[in-house]
Amino acid sequence: MKMSLRFKVISLLFIIITSLALVINERSTALIYEKTQETFQQRLEQLGESVKSYWESERNLLLSNAMLYAESEKIVNYSTYGLLNLLQKEMQSMIAKTGFHDMQLILKTGRLISSEPELCREVGVLNLKDTRLNLAQVELQYGDEGLFICAEVPVQKMGELIGRLSLRRKLDDTRVKRMSRNLQAEVALGLREQIVASSLQDKAREDIVKEHFRRNEIRDDIMKMTLNAEVFSVGRLAFEKTSEGDFLIIYIAVSQKKMLSLVEQARSQNLSVTGWALLITLLFTVVFSERVLISRIRAIRDGANLIAEGNLDLQFKIVSGDEIGDLGRSFNRMASSLKSNRDRLGHYIDRIENLANYIQNILGSLKTCVITWNMAGRIETVNASAMNELGEYYGNLEGLTLKSFLKKLKPASRSEMIVALREINFKESDRQFDIEIDLGEHAGIKVLQGGFSVLRDNTGKPYGYVLTLSNITQRKIIEQQLYHADKLSSIGQLSASVAHEIKNPLASIKTLGQLLQEDTPPEDERREYIDVIVSEVNRLNGVVEQLLKYARPEGSSFRQQLFSEVIKPVIALVNHEAERNRVVLKTEFASELKVYVDSEKIKQVFLNLIFNGMQAIENTGTVTIKAFQEPDSPWVAFEVADSGRGMPEEICKKVFEPFFTTKQRGTGLGLAIVKKIIDLHGGKIEVKSEAGKGTTFSFYLPNKQEG
Amino acid sequence: MMLKRNNGKLLLSIWLLALLIASAHAQTANEALRAELVSSIDFVPEILEMIRRHISSKLSRRISLIFHPVDRELQEVIEPRTSILLLEQGFSDSLIKEKYHDSGMHIRLAWVLVGKKEFFAEFKGKDYNLETFSNVLQHKKAQSPDTFPWFESLCSKNTLLNFSRIFPVSQGKLTPRPFYEQRGLIKILYRAMEEGLLNPLSVEADQLLATKVFVANDSFCFTCWVPLDYLLDEKLVHQAFGDAEVRPFPNQSGTAEIPVLNLHIWVRNDIEQQIASDTLELDFSNLVVLNRDFVSDREWMQKQFPAIYDMLIMGEFQQ
């Protein structure tokens, strides 16, 4: 996704400012919170003092009220004069609406009169000698009814003790709630791990004690608690012992809700202010960036586009001395430098292109195939010769892997090539190898000779291989022909010498035989033997003649002529013999087919092959003569096929060797002479035979004599 | 047709007007009649309520009673505005005659002993005299030694005045005999206090306190004014004091002597009010009605009361 610079810069600014604002806001909030916690602690300490003060005033108030009541004329008189019911009523009316729980008066007779009728009873005569009965006291009382603060004072008439009056205030939820209202904090009173009075409601009422004793090991008098899903700062005071000896613990809980709300409000306000400030900053940034930065950058961008389009003459008008101005100046320098470099680069490119063309031309002109592989094993370069020689076989060579290249070769060629490649890697030897490529049934085999060399860069580090290949097919053929010719030449020369040695004795034998023939009458039994001797000598003489013909060097007379002119005299010659042997001769060739041959020798070839075919046919059969030329092929193909008995493969391999014959009276030179004539034409001959179906002799002659 | 319709409207209007008048009259009849009691007696609320109910039954009207205590001449203090005036016998009526007329009727209040039923039950089969009274008190005292069965408002001038009518104040020494055998009011009361039968606080008590003590069951008996009818109708007593009875205060002779106060009823001139005559006749044998008179009573209170009260407090009797 493409993002503009302005967007990026503004985004970055936004992120940085937002992060800073958030960090500062959170930090300030934490600071406020910390300070507020301290304030809460101080507040709790103050509240503790207030509770003590409140407690003291409560004691004093209770005591002063008790004393006031004890000095009441009615209380004294009613007590003195036995008006106990009226006394009780008076006590009830006295404490009515005062908030005191009850008032009790123990008369010296032991009668207890209480504002609560059910509490009136006999408690035992007071011991008037006990001087403590004349003292006033305030104490905490805790029982089944709850917790009370009780002020007890003597009631006297004319200095004589008539009883003790006790005034009690129940420290219940109502009282504690009043205290809570006055203190503006939640208050709870705990005794023996239980809450006896609390301004808190529901679960929080008990939780405050549980939480306190759960955290007792901390021994922290100021704690933070969550009560009824509200956070409180809680302080505790071990206060005063009850008459039973238990310590009264006062819990003071100050809700942090308002504080937390204020802190949250402050944070929200800070965030809001920060947000607005951020928005305004961003707006200024947008305007500023547009006016000062982006428009100028855009101009530079447009300039860069023009430069990219090739307008290197562009120069910015620089007015400012800031970074953008510097950038503009750098851009101008860059444009000038680019222009200079472009000119130089053009010059170099021209030179490189020329050089590349030159190299390409060299490679293209080379008769040798050049193929390069990179270190990954893929062909990078293939010259025209390589494409000519191998394109037909491999298709497109470029990108072909070495493995694929090798896979198509014959196993022997593949092995040689691998050995050479291995050696070049280890020894950098210049081992040469031949590879043979089978071009198909009629195309034959192509032989290429080549070698590997290492391709190196300027530092000498290898980065590939070069394979050079030369087509040596023709040379190989010639070498084989030379080899064969050499072999035949040796046989010929040997035959000629043998023939000369044989011919002279044969002439003597023949002469002597003829003399004996003449001297021996026909009726003589020996005449038959002499006739056989003469006949056989004639036959041997014929063989010798043929041998001499084979070995004799002959001149050639090649010329372009219609094939029909060559084959028709042959057909006419053998036609009678064919009919006699009940063999049908068939010819298939184009009438306009031309051949470049020594016609007399080629006639001999066809004559030998047709006779060979007819001899292979035992009863009746067909000998077919074909001649044709594939389009664009440099060869003219000929076939002489019979439907005779055929030959096994071992025989096929030897049929062109001199003196090899399967006939009882053959010389073994007919097909040898055929081969010799074909070789003389620069062609080649092959034979295919299948037992029971016949034999086909195929030979190929160049369409035009080379050179 | 038009005439019929107009007649219908007329009848409807008349009917509505009649309904309005009847409603206004009924409202007037239901309104409380204001009455003012002008007396030197220190009536307590319980007694005033008895009087209010009594007048109300006599007038067959709801009465709201205003008490106007006086200890001087009427003309100096009173400027009546209420519909009915109840004037203690002996008050001068010269100033009120312009606006009020004497209905000729009066209400009679008797000064009696109010006691719990269980208290009076102990008198059963016995003579109703001071000795029996003493015996019953002693019996009650024995049941609850820390308390005093009898309470009086001896700080009240009227109480001492009434007692002085029954027990004349005589000179002489306090004898060691029981209180019922003493001769003379102060000695009787003083001895009763010494015997622990009469609550000593009585000398500092007014009628209000005495009533409160009785109502609070801290005493079995006390004396006060009640409408004369209460002597005959227990229900009325029950309404006022609960489980109590009223009887004349017993004396040594066994005769029933009752101080009686007459309250004359005066009706404002613009009020037409029929008042039933108080035809009640008490059927007490030996009943002696001791009529009070404002003028003579006032004189007694001014001249006799301080000395008698001091004697009662100090116990210094003339030899």
Side-chain angles (χ1 to χ4, degrees), chain A residues 73-74 77-78 81-87 89-90 109, chain B residues 146-148 151 199-201 204 209 212-213 216-218:
Chain A
E73 188 183 358
K74 288 180 178 176
N77 283 337
Y78 295 167
Y81 298 114
L83 303 176
L84 303 185
N85 292 329
L86 205 58
L87 172 65
K89 285 185 190 304
E90 189 60 34
T109 57
Chain B
D146 295 336
T147 59
F148 302 87
F151 197 94
N199 197 316
L201 189 61
E204 297 176 32
L209 180 59
K212 280 170 68 178
V213 169
N217 294 326
D218 275 332

Side-chain angles (χ1 to χ4, degrees), chain A residues 410-641:
Chain A
K410 287 185 173 180
S413 302
R414 195 185 305 152
S415 301
E416 275 200 54
M417 198 166 162
I418 289 168
V419 169
L421 192 58
R422 202 171 287 153
E423 284 187 4
I424 197 73
N425 273 328
F426 292 103
K427 303 177 193 172
E428 295 201 357
S429 71
D430 54 350
R431 181 189 176 93
Q432 295 293 305
F433 55 86
D434 292 349
I435 56 174
E436 290 185 357
I437 296 170
D438 190 354
L439 297 176
E441 192 175 345
H442 302 299
I445 291 172
K446 185 180 281 184
V447 182
L448 299 169
Q449 187 179 55
F452 275 110
S453 56
V454 178
L455 196 60
R456 296 181 186 280
D457 60 12
N458 292 337
T459 62
K461 191 178 173 186
Y463 70 91
Y465 304 99
V466 180
L467 174 65
T468 53
L469 292 169
S470 300
N471 191 342
I472 58 166
T473 308
Q474 200 61 37
R475 198 178 81 194
K476 279 285 178 183
I477 290 169
I478 291 167
E479 279 175 3
Q480 281 185 357
Q481 285 172 350
L482 284 173
Y483 170 73
H484 202 67
D486 188 45
K487 186 180 171 187
L488 292 176
S489 176
S490 303
I491 293 170
Q493 285 170 5
L494 184 62
S495 302
S497 62
V498 170
H500 279 293
E501 291 299 319
I502 291 170
K503 197 170 184 179
N504 291 335
L506 278 179
S508 299
I509 293 166
K510 184 180 178 181
T511 305
L512 290 171
Q514 282 174 339
L515 285 173
L516 282 173
Q517 210 175 16
E518 286 172 0
D519 292 341
T520 308
E523 308 80 37
D524 194 341
E525 291 178 350
R526 290 175 293 182
R527 177 64 180 270
E528 187 181 354
Y529 298 143
I530 295 167
D531 289 345
V532 170
I533 290 169
V534 172
S535 172
E536 287 302 315
V537 169
N538 284 337
R539 197 177 67 83
L540 281 172
N541 203 31
V543 169
V544 169
E545 281 296 327
Q546 278 205 356
L547 190 60
L548 288 171
K549 191 177 179 182
Y550 173 76
R552 190 186 304 130
E554 292 182 85
S556 298
S557 177
F558 288 94
R559 70 182 177 89
Q560 184 92 26
Q561 58 187 323
L562 287 169
F563 176 67
S564 59
E565 291 174 357
V566 177
I567 198 68
K568 278 181 181 174
V570 175
I571 296 298
L573 188 64
V574 299
N575 204 25
H576 177 68
E577 186 65 17
E579 285 176 358
R580 196 170 65 85
N581 291 324
R582 289 184 293 176
V583 172
V584 178
L585 290 176
K586 287 184 181 176
T587 55
E588 292 178 18
F589 58 88
S591 58
E592 69 277 13
L593 179 65
K594 288 183 176 178
V595 292
Y596 185 80
V597 294
D598 183 336
S599 62
E600 290 306 317
K601 289 186 174 66
I602 291 299
K603 284 176 186 172
Q604 183 65 45
V605 167
F606 277 106
L607 200 60
N608 286 359
L609 290 174
I610 290 167
F611 272 118
N612 196 64
M614 286 194 295
Q615 287 166 0
I617 295 170
E618 290 176 343
N619 295 318
T620 60
T622 306
V623 173
T624 306
I625 300 107
K626 291 182 184 175
F628 56 88
Q629 184 178 17
E630 295 288 343
D632 300 330
S633 174
W635 302 93
V636 179
F638 303 93
E639 277 185 12
V640 178

